[in-house]
Amino acid sequence: MKIAVISDIHGNIYALMKTFEDIDLQKVDLTICLGDLVGYGPHPNEVIALIKRRDIPCLKGNYDASVVDGDFTFIRNNSVNSFALPWASNEVRTSNKYYLSSLPTFLDYDINGVKIKFTHGSPNTINEYLYEDKENTKNIMENLKEDILVCGHTHIPSYKKFNNKLFINPGSVGKPKIGRPNITYAILNIDENKNVDVKFRELEYDYQKIVKDAKMLNFPNSLVASYESGTE
């Protein structure tokens, strides 16, 4: 079975459309979204509409939860978020806030006998950062009941084996932190013999479109520049 995993779209409709174009070419059996549909980018409602139209199983991200709350519940209170959070909370339609609030915080799948847990941050909380070389990640992987943990939130693609467990992060569709303005997502292929193959896809897209839209809406310069640099 072939699964595409996307995460951290953050209101970037152009990146999401490009991602789905590529996913369609890869002929996957299932696409799963790890959350953070909104926040930062200028097209949160359009992103939600496209995810719903494709009937994508989706998790609640920390920015999704904070936009619903209208407060810095699960995100950092910094200069960019002091603009981006109230903007998104005001922009996201009430019906879409209801959709975001109804999303689960984890999904469990058993595929060909391989058990997979999908989360946004960590199995403990939606806003915990799991980096492959950090102690908290090691502790979580040691106690993981499933065979694979797939999480987002860091915006950095990762793959690491912890003994007989796999740790996977697909990176970010709409707000990369890889030093390039490119989309990243992951494809997991699990065969009938429980063999797991993981590939990362990195895609270029016309990021100048979102730069133009953000400038027209008077987004902060640092936020606009992050789409060009692929940094936070």
Side-chain angles (χ1 to χ4, degrees):
M1 189 172 184
K2 206 171 181 181
I3 307 167
V5 186
I6 63 175
S7 190
D8 296 279
I9 301 150
H10 286 296
N12 188 339
I13 190 63
Y14 306 116
L16 183 60
M17 291 169 65
K18 180 68 176 182
T19 302
F20 280 140
E21 287 177 11
D22 193 70
I23 286 173
D24 290 344
L25 292 173
Q26 304 306 312
K27 301 188 183 304
V28 304
D29 301 297
L30 174 67
T31 299
I32 292 175
C33 178
L34 304 182
D36 269 7
L37 305 183
V38 303
Y40 301 123
H43 301 292
N45 292 304
E46 292 85 347
V47 164
I48 293 171
L50 186 51
I51 291 288
K52 290 168 72 175
R53 192 179 311 136
R54 283 189 166 239
D55 198 23
I56 304 292
C58 189
L59 299 175
K60 182 191 300 179
N62 63 305
Y63 223 118
D64 301 327
S66 288
V67 165
V68 170
D69 293 349
D71 202 355
F72 295 90
T73 321
F74 297 102
I75 64 172
R76 292 168 292 176
N77 188 348
N78 56 29
S79 59
V80 169
N81 286 334
S82 67
F83 169 86
L85 174 62
W87 189 92
S89 191
N90 182 66
E91 183 73 11
V92 174
R93 299 187 188 105
T94 301
S95 60
N96 284 334
K97 286 183 180 178
Y98 178 79
Y99 167 76
L100 293 175
S101 68
S102 71
L103 294 174
T105 55
F106 67 90
L107 290 169
D108 290 330
Y109 280 79
D110 187 321
I111 297 171
N112 293 331
V114 177
K115 292 180 171 58
I116 311 173
K117 181 172 286 293
F118 295 90
T119 66
H120 178 73
S122 81
N124 298 330
T125 178
I126 57 175
N127 64 339
E128 182 178 8
Y129 288 97
L130 295 184
Y131 296 100
E132 62 180 46
D133 58 346
K134 296 297 185 181
E135 191 67 23
N136 65 324
T137 306
K138 179 183 175 183
N139 292 336
I140 282 173
M141 294 304 296
E142 285 176 349
N143 293 293
L144 186 72
K145 295 178 181 178
E146 295 78 14
D147 303 299
I148 302 174
L149 176 64
V150 185
C151 60
H153 189 45
T154 67
H155 300 208
I156 299 172
S158 300
Y159 170 87
K160 187 174 182 178
K161 287 186 177 181
F162 289 81
N163 294 320
N164 62 335
K165 309 285 185 179
L166 286 183
F167 170 81
I168 302 166
N169 188 316
S172 171
V173 166
K175 195 72 168 51
K177 296 180 183 177
I178 56 173
R180 300 178 297 282
N182 295 343
I183 298 158
T184 60
Y185 77 95
I187 293 179
L188 285 63
N189 202 343
I190 303 171
D191 68 19
E192 294 177 355
N193 296 317
K194 300 185 180 182
N195 296 310
V196 181
D197 180 66
V198 181
K199 286 187 170 61
F200 292 98
R201 301 285 296 167
E202 181 173 336
L203 313 173
E204 295 181 352
Y205 76 107
D206 189 359
Y207 62 86
Q208 291 298 341
K209 288 183 177 179
I210 196 168
V211 167
K212 180 181 178 182
D213 290 355
K215 285 181 177 178
M216 286 177 62
L217 292 165
N218 295 315
F219 278 25
N221 290 334
S222 59
L223 178 52
V224 175
S226 69
Y227 292 111
E228 298 174 305
S229 64
T231 57
E232 188 169 8

PDB file of all heavy atoms in Angstrom, residues 175-197:
ATOM      1  N   LYS A 175       5.227  25.879   4.258  1.00  0.00           N
ATOM      2  CA  LYS A 175       6.090  26.790   5.015  1.00  0.00           C
ATOM      3  C   LYS A 175       7.398  26.078   5.364  1.00  0.00           C
ATOM      4  O   LYS A 175       7.703  25.813   6.519  1.00  0.00           O
ATOM      5  CB  LYS A 175       5.357  27.224   6.286  1.00  0.00           C
ATOM      6  CG  LYS A 175       5.937  28.421   7.020  1.00  0.00           C
ATOM      7  CD  LYS A 175       5.701  29.714   6.292  1.00  0.00           C
ATOM      8  CE  LYS A 175       6.036  30.913   7.177  1.00  0.00           C
ATOM      9  NZ  LYS A 175       7.361  30.846   7.792  1.00  0.00           N
ATOM     10  N   PRO A 176       8.202  25.766   4.340  1.00  0.00           N
ATOM     11  CA  PRO A 176       9.405  24.955   4.569  1.00  0.00           C
ATOM     12  C   PRO A 176      10.459  25.665   5.414  1.00  0.00           C
ATOM     13  O   PRO A 176      10.538  26.889   5.420  1.00  0.00           O
ATOM     14  CB  PRO A 176       9.935  24.700   3.152  1.00  0.00           C
ATOM     15  CG  PRO A 176       9.400  25.826   2.331  1.00  0.00           C
ATOM     16  CD  PRO A 176       8.059  26.134   2.917  1.00  0.00           C
ATOM     17  N   LYS A 177      11.248  24.845   6.097  1.00  0.00           N
ATOM     18  CA  LYS A 177      12.380  25.355   6.880  1.00  0.00           C
ATOM     19  C   LYS A 177      13.642  24.582   6.495  1.00  0.00           C
ATOM     20  O   LYS A 177      14.451  24.223   7.344  1.00  0.00           O
ATOM     21  CB  LYS A 177      12.099  25.213   8.377  1.00  0.00           C
ATOM     22  CG  LYS A 177      10.924  26.044   8.880  1.00  0.00           C
ATOM     23  CD  LYS A 177      10.725  25.847  10.377  1.00  0.00           C
ATOM     24  CE  LYS A 177       9.513  26.604  10.876  1.00  0.00           C
ATOM     25  NZ  LYS A 177       9.272  26.359  12.331  1.00  0.00           N
ATOM     26  N   ILE A 178      13.797  24.345   5.212  1.00  0.00           N
ATOM     27  CA  ILE A 178      14.934  23.559   4.722  1.00  0.00           C
ATOM     28  C   ILE A 178      15.974  24.429   4.028  1.00  0.00           C
ATOM     29  O   ILE A 178      16.920  23.921   3.426  1.00  0.00           O
ATOM     30  CB  ILE A 178      14.453  22.441   3.775  1.00  0.00           C
ATOM     31  CG1 ILE A 178      13.638  23.030   2.603  1.00  0.00           C
ATOM     32  CG2 ILE A 178      13.654  21.395   4.532  1.00  0.00           C
ATOM     33  CD1 ILE A 178      13.270  22.017   1.530  1.00  0.00           C
ATOM     34  N   GLY A 179      15.778  25.753   4.090  1.00  0.00           N
ATOM     35  CA  GLY A 179      16.719  26.656   3.434  1.00  0.00           C
ATOM     36  C   GLY A 179      16.460  26.830   1.957  1.00  0.00           C
ATOM     37  O   GLY A 179      17.242  27.466   1.249  1.00  0.00           O
ATOM     38  N   ARG A 180      15.351  26.280   1.482  1.00  0.00           N
ATOM     39  CA  ARG A 180      14.906  26.420   0.089  1.00  0.00           C
ATOM     40  C   ARG A 180      13.396  26.610   0.103  1.00  0.00           C
ATOM     41  O   ARG A 180      12.731  26.050   0.973  1.00  0.00           O
ATOM     42  CB  ARG A 180      15.268  25.171  -0.736  1.00  0.00           C
ATOM     43  CG  ARG A 180      16.749  24.880  -0.804  1.00  0.00           C
ATOM     44  CD  ARG A 180      17.052  23.609  -1.596  1.00  0.00           C
ATOM     45  NE  ARG A 180      16.484  22.405  -0.993  1.00  0.00           N
ATOM     46  CZ  ARG A 180      17.007  21.760   0.054  1.00  0.00           C
ATOM     47  NH1 ARG A 180      18.119  22.210   0.631  1.00  0.00           N
ATOM     48  NH2 ARG A 180      16.449  20.653   0.523  1.00  0.00           N
ATOM     49  N   PRO A 181      12.840  27.321  -0.856  1.00  0.00           N
ATOM     50  CA  PRO A 181      11.396  27.586  -0.829  1.00  0.00           C
ATOM     51  C   PRO A 181      10.562  26.452  -1.405  1.00  0.00           C
ATOM     52  O   PRO A 181       9.540  26.688  -2.049  1.00  0.00           O
ATOM     53  CB  PRO A 181      11.280  28.844  -1.698  1.00  0.00           C
ATOM     54  CG  PRO A 181      12.372  28.719  -2.698  1.00  0.00           C
ATOM     55  CD  PRO A 181      13.505  28.049  -1.966  1.00  0.00           C
ATOM     56  N   ASN A 182      10.986  25.218  -1.166  1.00  0.00           N
ATOM     57  CA  ASN A 182      10.373  24.075  -1.829  1.00  0.00           C
ATOM     58  C   ASN A 182       9.455  23.282  -0.906  1.00  0.00           C
ATOM     59  O   ASN A 182       9.661  23.220   0.313  1.00  0.00           O
ATOM     60  CB  ASN A 182      11.446  23.130  -2.378  1.00  0.00           C
ATOM     61  CG  ASN A 182      12.278  23.775  -3.469  1.00  0.00           C
ATOM     62  OD1 ASN A 182      11.896  24.790  -4.044  1.00  0.00           O
ATOM     63  ND2 ASN A 182      13.429  23.194  -3.764  1.00  0.00           N
ATOM     64  N   ILE A 183       8.484  22.644  -1.517  1.00  0.00           N
ATOM     65  CA  ILE A 183       7.557  21.728  -0.854  1.00  0.00           C
ATOM     66  C   ILE A 183       8.279  20.427  -0.517  1.00  0.00           C
ATOM     67  O   ILE A 183       9.080  19.943  -1.317  1.00  0.00           O
ATOM     68  CB  ILE A 183       6.389  21.406  -1.801  1.00  0.00           C
ATOM     69  CG1 ILE A 183       5.592  22.666  -2.151  1.00  0.00           C
ATOM     70  CG2 ILE A 183       5.491  20.304  -1.252  1.00  0.00           C
ATOM     71  CD1 ILE A 183       4.790  22.541  -3.433  1.00  0.00           C
ATOM     72  N   THR A 184       7.985  19.863   0.644  1.00  0.00           N
ATOM     73  CA  THR A 184       8.404  18.483   0.908  1.00  0.00           C
ATOM     74  C   THR A 184       7.215  17.692   1.446  1.00  0.00           C
ATOM     75  O   THR A 184       6.381  18.223   2.181  1.00  0.00           O
ATOM     76  CB  THR A 184       9.569  18.365   1.908  1.00  0.00           C
ATOM     77  OG1 THR A 184       9.190  18.938   3.159  1.00  0.00           O
ATOM     78  CG2 THR A 184      10.819  19.063   1.391  1.00  0.00           C
ATOM     79  N   TYR A 185       7.148  16.433   1.034  1.00  0.00           N
ATOM     80  CA  TYR A 185       6.198  15.488   1.628  1.00  0.00           C
ATOM     81  C   TYR A 185       6.795  14.092   1.490  1.00  0.00           C
ATOM     82  O   TYR A 185       7.862  13.918   0.883  1.00  0.00           O
ATOM     83  CB  TYR A 185       4.810  15.607   0.981  1.00  0.00           C
ATOM     84  CG  TYR A 185       4.628  14.984  -0.383  1.00  0.00           C
ATOM     85  CD1 TYR A 185       4.109  13.695  -0.530  1.00  0.00           C
ATOM     86  CD2 TYR A 185       4.946  15.687  -1.553  1.00  0.00           C
ATOM     87  CE1 TYR A 185       3.922  13.126  -1.780  1.00  0.00           C
ATOM     88  CE2 TYR A 185       4.760  15.134  -2.809  1.00  0.00           C
ATOM     89  CZ  TYR A 185       4.241  13.842  -2.914  1.00  0.00           C
ATOM     90  OH  TYR A 185       4.057  13.276  -4.156  1.00  0.00           O
ATOM     91  N   ALA A 186       6.146  13.110   2.098  1.00  0.00           N
ATOM     92  CA  ALA A 186       6.696  11.753   2.135  1.00  0.00           C
ATOM     93  C   ALA A 186       5.734  10.746   1.518  1.00  0.00           C
ATOM     94  O   ALA A 186       4.512  10.930   1.554  1.00  0.00           O
ATOM     95  CB  ALA A 186       7.012  11.344   3.570  1.00  0.00           C
ATOM     96  N   ILE A 187       6.306   9.690   0.964  1.00  0.00           N
ATOM     97  CA  ILE A 187       5.518   8.557   0.473  1.00  0.00           C
ATOM     98  C   ILE A 187       6.022   7.288   1.156  1.00  0.00           C
ATOM     99  O   ILE A 187       7.215   6.971   1.101  1.00  0.00           O
ATOM    100  CB  ILE A 187       5.612   8.415  -1.056  1.00  0.00           C
ATOM    101  CG1 ILE A 187       4.928   9.605  -1.742  1.00  0.00           C
ATOM    102  CG2 ILE A 187       4.957   7.105  -1.507  1.00  0.00           C
ATOM    103  CD1 ILE A 187       4.992   9.566  -3.253  1.00  0.00           C
ATOM    104  N   LEU A 188       5.100   6.583   1.825  1.00  0.00           N
ATOM    105  CA  LEU A 188       5.403   5.319   2.484  1.00  0.00           C
ATOM    106  C   LEU A 188       4.802   4.198   1.639  1.00  0.00           C
ATOM    107  O   LEU A 188       3.616   4.247   1.287  1.00  0.00           O
ATOM    108  CB  LEU A 188       4.791   5.255   3.882  1.00  0.00           C
ATOM    109  CG  LEU A 188       5.425   6.039   5.028  1.00  0.00           C
ATOM    110  CD1 LEU A 188       5.384   7.536   4.777  1.00  0.00           C
ATOM    111  CD2 LEU A 188       4.721   5.706   6.332  1.00  0.00           C
ATOM    112  N   ASN A 189       5.625   3.207   1.322  1.00  0.00           N
ATOM    113  CA  ASN A 189       5.149   2.045   0.575  1.00  0.00           C
ATOM    114  C   ASN A 189       5.354   0.810   1.447  1.00  0.00           C
ATOM    115  O   ASN A 189       6.486   0.476   1.799  1.00  0.00           O
ATOM    116  CB  ASN A 189       5.912   1.913  -0.745  1.00  0.00           C
ATOM    117  CG  ASN A 189       5.151   1.108  -1.770  1.00  0.00           C
ATOM    118  OD1 ASN A 189       4.211   0.382  -1.431  1.00  0.00           O
ATOM    119  ND2 ASN A 189       5.539   1.216  -3.029  1.00  0.00           N
ATOM    120  N   ILE A 190       4.244   0.170   1.820  1.00  0.00           N
ATOM    121  CA  ILE A 190       4.307  -0.984   2.716  1.00  0.00           C
ATOM    122  C   ILE A 190       3.771  -2.201   1.976  1.00  0.00           C
ATOM    123  O   ILE A 190       2.600  -2.232   1.573  1.00  0.00           O
ATOM    124  CB  ILE A 190       3.480  -0.726   3.990  1.00  0.00           C
ATOM    125  CG1 ILE A 190       3.981   0.556   4.695  1.00  0.00           C
ATOM    126  CG2 ILE A 190       3.556  -1.922   4.936  1.00  0.00           C
ATOM    127  CD1 ILE A 190       3.106   1.019   5.822  1.00  0.00           C
ATOM    128  N   ASP A 191       4.626  -3.188   1.771  1.00  0.00           N
ATOM    129  CA  ASP A 191       4.197  -4.351   0.991  1.00  0.00           C
ATOM    130  C   ASP A 191       3.632  -5.450   1.896  1.00  0.00           C
ATOM    131  O   ASP A 191       3.597  -5.308   3.130  1.00  0.00           O
ATOM    132  CB  ASP A 191       5.325  -4.868   0.093  1.00  0.00           C
ATOM    133  CG  ASP A 191       6.487  -5.493   0.853  1.00  0.00           C
ATOM    134  OD1 ASP A 191       6.322  -5.875   2.035  1.00  0.00           O
ATOM    135  OD2 ASP A 191       7.580  -5.622   0.262  1.00  0.00           O
ATOM    136  N   GLU A 192       3.211  -6.547   1.290  1.00  0.00           N
ATOM    137  CA  GLU A 192       2.551  -7.623   2.028  1.00  0.00           C
ATOM    138  C   GLU A 192       3.503  -8.372   2.955  1.00  0.00           C
ATOM    139  O   GLU A 192       3.068  -9.095   3.854  1.00  0.00           O
ATOM    140  CB  GLU A 192       1.903  -8.598   1.043  1.00  0.00           C
ATOM    141  CG  GLU A 192       0.751  -7.974   0.266  1.00  0.00           C
ATOM    142  CD  GLU A 192       0.169  -8.932  -0.757  1.00  0.00           C
ATOM    143  OE1 GLU A 192       0.726 -10.039  -0.931  1.00  0.00           O
ATOM    144  OE2 GLU A 192      -0.836  -8.556  -1.387  1.00  0.00           O
ATOM    145  N   ASN A 193       4.808  -8.174   2.752  1.00  0.00           N
ATOM    146  CA  ASN A 193       5.807  -8.800   3.618  1.00  0.00           C
ATOM    147  C   ASN A 193       6.280  -7.872   4.739  1.00  0.00           C
ATOM    148  O   ASN A 193       7.304  -8.129   5.378  1.00  0.00           O
ATOM    149  CB  ASN A 193       7.004  -9.266   2.789  1.00  0.00           C
ATOM    150  CG  ASN A 193       6.640 -10.345   1.789  1.00  0.00           C
ATOM    151  OD1 ASN A 193       5.900 -11.262   2.114  1.00  0.00           O
ATOM    152  ND2 ASN A 193       7.148 -10.223   0.569  1.00  0.00           N
ATOM    153  N   LYS A 194       5.547  -6.774   4.920  1.00  0.00           N
ATOM    154  CA  LYS A 194       5.830  -5.778   5.968  1.00  0.00           C
ATOM    155  C   LYS A 194       7.100  -4.966   5.697  1.00  0.00           C
ATOM    156  O   LYS A 194       7.647  -4.348   6.617  1.00  0.00           O
ATOM    157  CB  LYS A 194       5.911  -6.422   7.357  1.00  0.00           C
ATOM    158  CG  LYS A 194       4.646  -7.126   7.795  1.00  0.00           C
ATOM    159  CD  LYS A 194       4.779  -7.621   9.231  1.00  0.00           C
ATOM    160  CE  LYS A 194       3.522  -8.333   9.693  1.00  0.00           C
ATOM    161  NZ  LYS A 194       3.627  -8.775  11.092  1.00  0.00           N
ATOM    162  N   ASN A 195       7.589  -4.992   4.471  1.00  0.00           N
ATOM    163  CA  ASN A 195       8.721  -4.136   4.114  1.00  0.00           C
ATOM    164  C   ASN A 195       8.228  -2.710   3.940  1.00  0.00           C
ATOM    165  O   ASN A 195       7.198  -2.475   3.290  1.00  0.00           O
ATOM    166  CB  ASN A 195       9.373  -4.626   2.814  1.00  0.00           C
ATOM    167  CG  ASN A 195       9.970  -6.004   2.960  1.00  0.00           C
ATOM    168  OD1 ASN A 195      10.721  -6.269   3.896  1.00  0.00           O
ATOM    169  ND2 ASN A 195       9.624  -6.908   2.043  1.00  0.00           N
ATOM    170  N   VAL A 196       8.969  -1.764   4.514  1.00  0.00           N
ATOM    171  CA  VAL A 196       8.575  -0.355   4.471  1.00  0.00           C
ATOM    172  C   VAL A 196       9.615   0.443   3.689  1.00  0.00           C
ATOM    173  O   VAL A 196      10.795   0.461   4.045  1.00  0.00           O
ATOM    174  CB  VAL A 196       8.437   0.233   5.894  1.00  0.00           C
ATOM    175  CG1 VAL A 196       7.995   1.691   5.825  1.00  0.00           C
ATOM    176  CG2 VAL A 196       7.464  -0.591   6.723  1.00  0.00           C
ATOM    177  N   ASP A 197       9.168   1.088   2.634  1.00  0.00           N
ATOM    178  CA  ASP A 197      10.035   1.959   1.836  1.00  0.00           C
ATOM    179  C   ASP A 197       9.548   3.390   2.001  1.00  0.00           C
ATOM    180  O   ASP A 197       8.351   3.658   1.859  1.00  0.00           O
ATOM    181  CB  ASP A 197       9.988   1.548   0.360  1.00  0.00           C
ATOM    182  CG  ASP A 197      10.875   2.431  -0.504  1.00  0.00           C
ATOM    183  OD1 ASP A 197      12.103   2.388  -0.341  1.00  0.00           O
ATOM    184  OD2 ASP A 197      10.319   3.188  -1.337  1.00  0.00           O
TER     185      ASP A 197
END
